[in-house]
Amino acid sequence: MQQTNPILDPFGRPITYLRVSVTDRCDFRCVYCMAEEMTFLPKADLLTLEELEVICRRFMEVGTRKIRLTGGEPLVRRNIMHLIGNLGDEVGRGNLEEITITTNGSQLAKMADDLYRAGVRRINVSIDTLDTDKFREITRWGDLGKVLDGLEAAKSAGLKVKINAVAIKGFNDEELAEMVAWCGREGHDMTVIEIMPMGDIGNENRLSQYMPVSLVRSNLSRRFTLTDLDYSSGGPARYVRVEETGRKLGFITPLTHNFCESCNRVRITCTGMLYMCLGQDDSADLRAALRDTGQDGLDAAIVEAIGRKPKGHDFIIDRRNSGPAVERHMSVTGG
Ligand code: SAM
Ligand code: SF4
């Protein structure tokens, strides 16, 4: 495949990064992400792994250089290693810079070696607390011990790990400094994420969960020396170096900071809906384009959709707006 200049959106931003949610299902039920009783999509609505791969390849043709698989929990989708392996081969051929995964870590103990063999070198693992009981409380169904075993396996396999922690008021705000120190000891980078108002989460109240990451940062700076870094992933994270540990720490602040001007990404769901912005409802149906009109129709649909990528989002969580700003759950687009 020839290296192509990336497609530009209407604001001149090169779109080089594709996030693919390969399933809406998950073996956890994190309280800020899902209601306990979730109705998942019928299997027939899902793109097959082959269709997902065709779509990824068409994006590569228009300049996508990085692909991140997410979900739901990407590693619970049956035969997912097949897709990962095929995309990993494209990294080997120089057609992609990297293939990465965001996972809750529940399957890592058995899959870490396969991921490395398939060409994955970096993964994000989501852990909000290192306390076993609290981990069970926040994930409803998760087992911290298994996830920690998974991290060990990832390390032995040679995978670089970044820990994602969502800041939750009154739950882990006091513990985040300890997690930063733990990441330092384990050799992991870390990112702290602000809660985003996505999807109905049953009886849980987002306003009571919301903790501005600016506050997290000022709390952490009482214990650590945080030096701003120029580094940007083209996403919503701003990075510092924790001088005491030497590790990178990112802050994702979609609600208190506007990160949209450097946005380089679009997101596709497991049913083939392309979302041009995490915080907006506009989407394009790539499954219909692919199934009804084949590859040419798909190419046209991708170009047309990127042509209407919006300038930015307008998430708000305040006392009048504690409901979802967008109807879909984070597990649909995978963050
Ligand atoms: N299951 C995988 C995991 O947990 O890493 C991948 C999908 S999960 C939706 C991706 C990331 O989104 C996780 O780090 C999770 O903590 C975060 N997340 C989920 N719901 C969120 C919300 N409402 N606000 C902010 N982050 C959220
Ligand atoms: Fe599952 Fe990830 Fe959502 Fe937790 S955050 S319920 S692990 S998709």
Side-chain angles (χ1 to χ4, degrees):
M1 186 189 301
Q2 269 205 316
Q3 292 268 326
T4 28
N5 285 333
I7 186 167
L8 301 181
D9 79 354
F11 304 93
R13 296 170 296 193
I15 304 306
T16 53
Y17 185 2
L18 178 66
R19 286 204 178 198
V20 185
S21 176
V22 297
T23 175
D24 63 331
R25 288 166 197 253
C26 188
D27 52 343
F28 290 4
R29 290 288 182 279
C30 301
V31 298
Y32 49 78
C33 180
M34 294 191 181
E36 186 153 22
E37 299 296 329
M38 291 286 290
T39 311
F40 291 112
L41 295 162
K43 291 229 164 83
D45 285 359
L46 300 191
L47 291 172
T48 63
L49 290 175
E50 290 71 23
E51 286 173 321
L52 277 169
E53 188 175 328
V54 169
I55 291 177
C56 288
R57 287 183 184 282
R58 299 322 291 170
F59 270 93
M60 285 157 57
E61 292 282 351
V62 294
T64 287
R65 303 293 299 143
K66 296 186 182 188
I67 297 181
R68 176 176 295 278
L69 302 186
T70 174
E73 175 45 44
L75 298 183
V76 301
R77 172 130 191 203
R78 198 139 58 93
N79 294 332
I80 191 64
M81 282 313 303
H82 187 67
L83 175 64
I84 298 172
N86 287 352
L87 294 175
D89 288 346
E90 295 303 331
V91 177
R93 293 188 192 108
N95 295 327
L96 260 185
E97 263 168 43
E98 67 172 353
I99 164 87
T100 55
I101 300 201
T102 300
T103 172
N104 65 23
S106 66
Q107 311 299 310
L108 268 182
K110 56 175 192 262
M111 293 174 86
D113 282 331
D114 288 344
L115 287 173
Y116 190 91
R117 265 196 296 275
V120 177
R121 293 293 176 267
R122 294 193 309 136
I123 57 174
N124 287 0
V125 182
S126 304
I127 300 182
D128 303 322
T129 171
L130 292 169
D131 176 292
T132 305
D133 294 335
K134 285 172 81 176
F135 188 83
R136 170 65 56 135
E137 185 189 328
I138 200 76
T139 60
R140 292 198 183 97
W141 299 356
D143 176 345
L144 180 65
K146 264 197 193 160
V147 174
L148 295 179
D149 289 348
L151 286 179
E152 281 306 312
K155 224 194 232 181
S156 327
L159 294 170
K160 237 176 120 207
V161 173
K162 185 169 79 170
I163 301 294
N164 280 349
V166 174
I168 308 153
K169 189 159 78 187
F171 176 77
N172 64 358
D173 36 351
E174 303 277 306
E175 197 194 336
L176 288 169
E178 201 33 57
M179 289 185 70
V180 170
W182 172 77
C183 282
R185 291 194 296 277
E186 295 293 320
H188 305 317
D189 290 339
M190 177 173 165
T191 299
V192 182
I193 308 174
E194 220 162 57
I195 295 239
M196 292 177 240
M198 299 191 65
D200 182 7
I201 51 170
N203 294 328
E204 301 287 334
N205 179 350
R206 282 225 169 78
L207 184 59
S208 66
Q209 299 173 341
Y210 177 61
M211 164 99 185
V213 158
S214 51
L215 193 58
V216 174
R217 183 178 169 150
S218 68
N219 290 347
L220 290 177
S221 58
R222 279 194 239 122
R223 174 160 166 195
F224 299 104
T225 314
L226 308 179
T227 308
D228 280 314
L229 294 176
D230 276 343
Y231 173 82
S232 164
S233 59
R238 293 289 169 266
Y239 290 90
V240 298
R241 183 174 49 247
V242 182
E243 298 298 346
E244 288 78 359
T245 66
R247 304 303 321 177
K248 260 203 306 255
L249 174 63
F251 296 100
I252 302 195
T253 58
L255 303 173
T256 52
H257 187 277
N258 206 323
F259 54 80
C260 305
E261 67 280 357
S262 60
C263 185
N264 61 357
R265 58 199 58 194
V266 291
R267 298 172 165 83
I268 183 151
T269 71
C270 56
T271 59
M273 299 305 289
L274 179 69
Y275 285 92
M276 286 70 80
C277 173
L278 183 60
Q280 304 273 4
D281 282 322
D282 188 27
S283 60
D285 187 348
L286 298 188
R287 183 185 63 188
L290 176 62
R291 289 185 184 170
D292 300 347
T293 53
Q295 211 140 291
D296 289 344
L298 176 61
D299 288 357
I302 291 173
V303 171
E304 193 273 331
I306 291 178
R308 54 192 165 86
K309 182 170 161 66
K311 195 166 182 194
H313 67 71
D314 30 47
F315 281 136
I316 312 174
I317 294 185
D318 67 17
R319 279 171 214 294
R320 275 158 297 140
N321 297 291
S322 60
V326 289
E327 290 303 320
R328 62 186 190 278
H329 288 89
M330 188 70 123
S331 49
V332 173
T333 38

